[in-house]
Amino acid sequence: MNSAARAAALWVGTCAVAVSGIVPAAAVERGTGAPPAGLVAALERTVADGFPGAVAYARDGEQESRTAAGLADTATGERARPDPRFRIAGNTTSFVSTVLLQLEGEGRLSLDDSVETWLPGVVRGHGNDGRAVTLRQLLNHTSGIYDPTDGAEFFAPYLILTPLGLKDTPFPVTDPDIHGPHLHGYDLGGRDVTRFSPSYDWTAGAVISTVDDLARFHRALFTGRLLRPAQQRELLTTVQSGDEEAYGLGVRTVEVTCGSGPGAERISAWATDGGGPGFTSVSLTTADGERQLVLAFNVFDLGANLRKQRPVPYTEALGRAQAAALCD
């Protein structure tokens, strides 16, 4: 699935899905700073607009905060907390890009190598030729190779980390369970779709993580701690992919609007996002690396996405959450 399409489903739309019952108030993790003004209200609004649960991590310099709203499990009524694991889907690609860039920095490969060099005979036929496609093109979405996950038939059989201390970020290959405290994931009808084999997504989306681990990884990545200077420049060199945002290597740029009206300030940020069965998330880091926001929600309807329909409830609160965390 195309991560930009998932993100677009978050930022624009026309209808909201209502939930019944009382919406639990947001929980703020003790021992951390107060959330940015407006972030708690924005999370509670997303729950009122149809997401069972929402989790956020925000950072301004060295000041961090964590908060959650709604439910982690609708069947038991378990409240969402700021530290649960969830499937990060397309956010996985920034991890993969980092590893490939590290290998390039060590002289073990080049992003201008052809796919054929490393996977001989794998990309052949149907108009595809691995000799004409580079690793860089795979990472910045310009390869032109058909994405089989755009078709419903693909899903029929189904429906790195240690140096940064990412203890809550496993990479399961076939294990269908999320171990430890975690959010349950749902489709738009409220069906629990948490448990499934992640093998179909592998390096495109199989990683499980937390908002804290995602924030820690992206803080290190975008401040240059993980890559050599030449590879850092490659990571952040963007190209346009159709009508979508500008893509780097596994990352993309977004503009966050602060305030309203024609004179509203716009802040540039690096983003990764993901949407897969039951879970939607986005990680934003300002260009100067000083501010971050990681949001996780426990709804993504794969069936609706394959039908080209909105896979998540519509809410205007996502823009409010971004502005609260990233704007002055």
Side-chain angles (χ1 to χ4, degrees):
M1 287 173 285
N2 188 298
S3 62
R6 299 169 182 154
L10 284 175
W11 316 136
V12 295
T14 57
C15 62
V17 177
V19 290
S20 60
I22 298 174
V23 176
V28 177
E29 185 172 283
R30 294 182 179 180
T32 63
L39 181 57
V40 171
L43 283 193
E44 291 177 335
R45 182 71 255 173
T46 64
V47 174
D49 285 342
F51 289 95
V55 179
Y57 166 99
R59 179 179 64 83
D60 183 356
E62 298 302 315
Q63 181 77 11
E64 298 176 304
S65 65
R66 300 159 182 86
T67 187
L71 300 176
D73 186 341
T74 60
T76 66
E78 177 188 352
R79 295 276 298 275
R81 294 185 50 79
D83 57 354
R85 293 181 175 187
F86 56 93
R87 300 189 191 278
I88 71 171
N91 289 283
T92 299
T93 56
S94 60
F95 287 79
V96 175
S97 293
T98 300
V99 171
L100 287 174
L101 285 163
Q102 288 175 333
L103 290 173
E104 182 184 61
E106 295 167 5
R108 299 169 65 179
L109 57 75
S110 168
L111 294 191
D112 294 317
D113 289 343
S114 69
V115 173
E116 182 74 11
T117 300
W118 295 100
L119 297 172
V122 171
V123 180
R124 294 282 181 89
H126 302 287
N128 297 312
D129 184 350
R131 295 168 298 183
V133 176
T134 66
L135 301 183
R136 188 186 309 277
Q137 289 174 314
L138 292 179
L139 295 176
N140 65 17
H141 295 216
T142 60
S143 70
I145 296 176
Y146 170 68
D147 181 359
T149 64
D150 285 339
E153 66 278 1
F154 178 86
F155 291 95
Y158 299 95
L159 301 172
I160 350 222
L161 301 181
T162 302
L164 285 178
L166 306 185
K167 61 183 179 60
D168 292 313
T169 305
F171 179 54
V173 177
T174 58
D175 188 348
D177 294 310
I178 303 178
H179 299 280
H182 61 275
L183 292 175
H184 283 244
Y186 301 92
D187 64 17
L188 287 171
R191 184 169 63 103
D192 192 319
V193 293
T194 308
R195 193 174 189 274
F196 66 91
S197 172
S199 59
Y200 80 90
D201 233 0
W202 204 52
T203 54
V207 166
I208 290 169
S209 193
T210 64
V211 290
D212 261 76
D213 272 9
L214 266 183
R216 185 177 297 112
F217 171 69
H218 286 136
R219 182 178 188 178
L221 178 61
F222 291 119
T223 57
R225 289 176 49 199
L226 300 183
L227 300 173
R228 301 181 186 193
Q231 280 66 50
Q232 189 75 9
R233 288 192 295 272
E234 289 187 285
L235 173 79
L236 303 182
T237 298
T238 61
V239 296
Q240 288 295 136
S241 179
D243 295 328
E244 299 168 357
E245 294 91 343
Y247 270 90
L249 301 182
V251 302
R252 63 188 180 91
T253 58
V254 297
E255 295 288 325
V256 177
T257 302
C258 303
S260 58
E265 180 187 8
R266 297 176 69 84
I267 293 179
S268 295
W270 291 103
T272 69
D273 55 75
F279 299 96
T280 308
S281 56
V282 61
S283 176
L284 302 172
T285 304
T286 54
D288 61 9
E290 284 299 302
R291 294 189 179 188
Q292 285 182 275
L293 175 67
V294 182
L295 296 168
F297 305 93
N298 53 353
V299 169
F300 187 89
D301 193 311
L302 180 62
N305 189 63
L306 292 171
R307 295 190 297 272
K308 310 302 181 185
Q309 299 171 353
R310 172 178 298 283
V312 296
Y314 168 68
T315 178
E316 295 181 350
L318 292 169
R320 300 178 205 166
Q322 292 178 61
L326 302 183
C327 298
D328 292 324

